[in-house]
Amino acid sequence: MSTADLAIGAFTAGAAAWASMCLFPCRRDRPDLIAWTALLARIPVQALVAGAQVARRALDPALPLHPGWKPYETALPEGTAQDIFAAFAALLPGSVPVRRGTSGTFDIHCLDVDAPIASTLAGEEARLKTALGLEPRDG
């Protein structure tokens, strides 16, 4: 490798770093590793409980199904944060999120529209905000 190659490489790397900082400035909020660990640890249990509850509702004729749609508005920033929220929301028992447009509104398909879907989703959203560093962790 020649000195000219090294100079061109250093210039290119510097220009790429500068362009990156201009296009994608650093954010002040930082992900919370402890909150992420707690959030990710919930996934296997939540998936098992959700699957069992859906199977029980679908197979037990004594448990009535009241399927329908409920809107849910999230305060999470558009993009990856909302995509992660939708993935976590899909793990909740009897709910499947569908994005409505590009805003923070989701239509949630529920097996039981009488279930407390909004409060459950709000709890998941709060956990995700903490993990993403958008809100401080309690205690």
Short mmCIF file of all heavy atoms in Angstrom, two decimals, residues 10 33 35 37 44 53 72 86 98 100 121 128 133 137:
data_model
loop_
_atom_site.label_atom_id
_atom_site.label_comp_id
_atom_site.label_asym_id
_atom_site.label_seq_id
_atom_site.Cartn_x
_atom_site.Cartn_y
_atom_site.Cartn_z
N ALA A 10 -7.80 7.65 4.18
CA ALA A 10 -8.05 8.49 5.35
C ALA A 10 -9.04 9.60 5.00
O ALA A 10 -9.97 9.90 5.77
CB ALA A 10 -6.75 9.07 5.88
N LEU A 33 -29.47 -0.93 29.10
CA LEU A 33 -29.17 -2.36 28.99
C LEU A 33 -29.99 -3.20 29.97
O LEU A 33 -30.48 -4.27 29.62
CB LEU A 33 -27.67 -2.60 29.21
CG LEU A 33 -27.19 -4.03 29.05
CD1 LEU A 33 -27.48 -4.55 27.64
CD2 LEU A 33 -25.71 -4.14 29.35
N ALA A 35 -32.96 -2.46 31.27
CA ALA A 35 -34.35 -2.47 30.81
C ALA A 35 -34.52 -3.37 29.59
O ALA A 35 -35.53 -4.08 29.46
CB ALA A 35 -34.82 -1.05 30.50
N THR A 37 -32.69 -6.01 28.90
CA THR A 37 -32.59 -7.39 29.38
C THR A 37 -33.91 -7.84 29.98
O THR A 37 -34.39 -8.94 29.70
CB THR A 37 -31.45 -7.50 30.42
OG1 THR A 37 -30.24 -7.06 29.81
CG2 THR A 37 -31.29 -8.93 30.91
N PRO A 44 -40.11 -15.05 26.02
CA PRO A 44 -40.52 -16.46 26.01
C PRO A 44 -41.76 -16.73 26.86
O PRO A 44 -42.67 -17.44 26.43
CB PRO A 44 -39.30 -17.20 26.57
CG PRO A 44 -38.16 -16.27 26.44
CD PRO A 44 -38.73 -14.89 26.48
N GLN A 53 -53.38 -18.92 26.03
CA GLN A 53 -54.65 -18.21 26.17
C GLN A 53 -55.45 -18.20 24.86
O GLN A 53 -56.66 -18.39 24.87
CB GLN A 53 -54.42 -16.79 26.66
CG GLN A 53 -54.06 -16.71 28.12
CD GLN A 53 -53.93 -15.28 28.61
OE1 GLN A 53 -54.15 -14.33 27.88
NE2 GLN A 53 -53.55 -15.14 29.87
N TYR A 72 -55.11 2.10 18.73
CA TYR A 72 -54.14 2.42 19.78
C TYR A 72 -53.15 3.43 19.22
O TYR A 72 -52.56 3.21 18.17
CB TYR A 72 -53.40 1.17 20.27
CG TYR A 72 -52.43 1.49 21.39
CD1 TYR A 72 -52.89 1.65 22.68
CD2 TYR A 72 -51.08 1.69 21.13
CE1 TYR A 72 -52.02 1.98 23.71
CE2 TYR A 72 -50.21 2.02 22.15
CZ TYR A 72 -50.68 2.16 23.44
OH TYR A 72 -49.81 2.49 24.45
N ALA A 86 -44.60 -2.87 17.63
CA ALA A 86 -45.54 -3.75 16.95
C ALA A 86 -45.17 -5.21 17.14
O ALA A 86 -46.04 -6.07 17.34
CB ALA A 86 -45.61 -3.41 15.46
N VAL A 98 -51.83 -3.76 13.54
CA VAL A 98 -51.73 -3.42 12.13
C VAL A 98 -51.56 -1.91 12.06
O VAL A 98 -52.36 -1.17 12.64
CB VAL A 98 -53.01 -3.84 11.36
CG1 VAL A 98 -52.92 -3.41 9.90
CG2 VAL A 98 -53.25 -5.33 11.48
N ARG A 100 -51.74 1.79 10.88
CA ARG A 100 -52.68 2.59 10.09
C ARG A 100 -51.91 3.79 9.56
O ARG A 100 -51.61 4.71 10.31
CB ARG A 100 -53.84 3.05 10.95
CG ARG A 100 -54.88 3.79 10.16
CD ARG A 100 -55.90 4.49 10.98
NE ARG A 100 -56.54 3.67 11.98
CZ ARG A 100 -57.28 4.16 12.97
NH1 ARG A 100 -57.43 5.45 13.09
NH2 ARG A 100 -57.84 3.37 13.84
N LEU A 121 -51.18 -2.55 26.36
CA LEU A 121 -50.26 -1.98 25.37
C LEU A 121 -49.51 -0.77 25.94
O LEU A 121 -48.33 -0.59 25.65
CB LEU A 121 -51.02 -1.58 24.11
CG LEU A 121 -51.53 -2.73 23.25
CD1 LEU A 121 -52.43 -2.21 22.14
CD2 LEU A 121 -50.39 -3.54 22.68
N LEU A 128 -40.82 -0.38 26.74
CA LEU A 128 -39.99 -0.17 25.55
C LEU A 128 -39.35 1.22 25.57
O LEU A 128 -38.18 1.36 25.22
CB LEU A 128 -40.82 -0.36 24.28
CG LEU A 128 -40.06 -0.21 22.96
CD1 LEU A 128 -38.87 -1.16 22.89
CD2 LEU A 128 -40.99 -0.43 21.79
N GLY A 133 -34.26 4.19 26.13
CA GLY A 133 -33.65 5.37 26.72
C GLY A 133 -34.47 6.63 26.53
O GLY A 133 -33.98 7.73 26.73
N ARG A 137 -35.53 4.92 33.90
CA ARG A 137 -36.01 3.72 34.59
C ARG A 137 -36.42 4.09 36.01
O ARG A 137 -35.76 4.87 36.67
CB ARG A 137 -34.91 2.67 34.61
CG ARG A 137 -35.34 1.36 35.20
CD ARG A 137 -34.35 0.24 34.96
NE ARG A 137 -33.02 0.63 34.55
CZ ARG A 137 -31.95 0.52 35.32
NH1 ARG A 137 -32.05 0.07 36.54
NH2 ARG A 137 -30.78 0.90 34.88
#
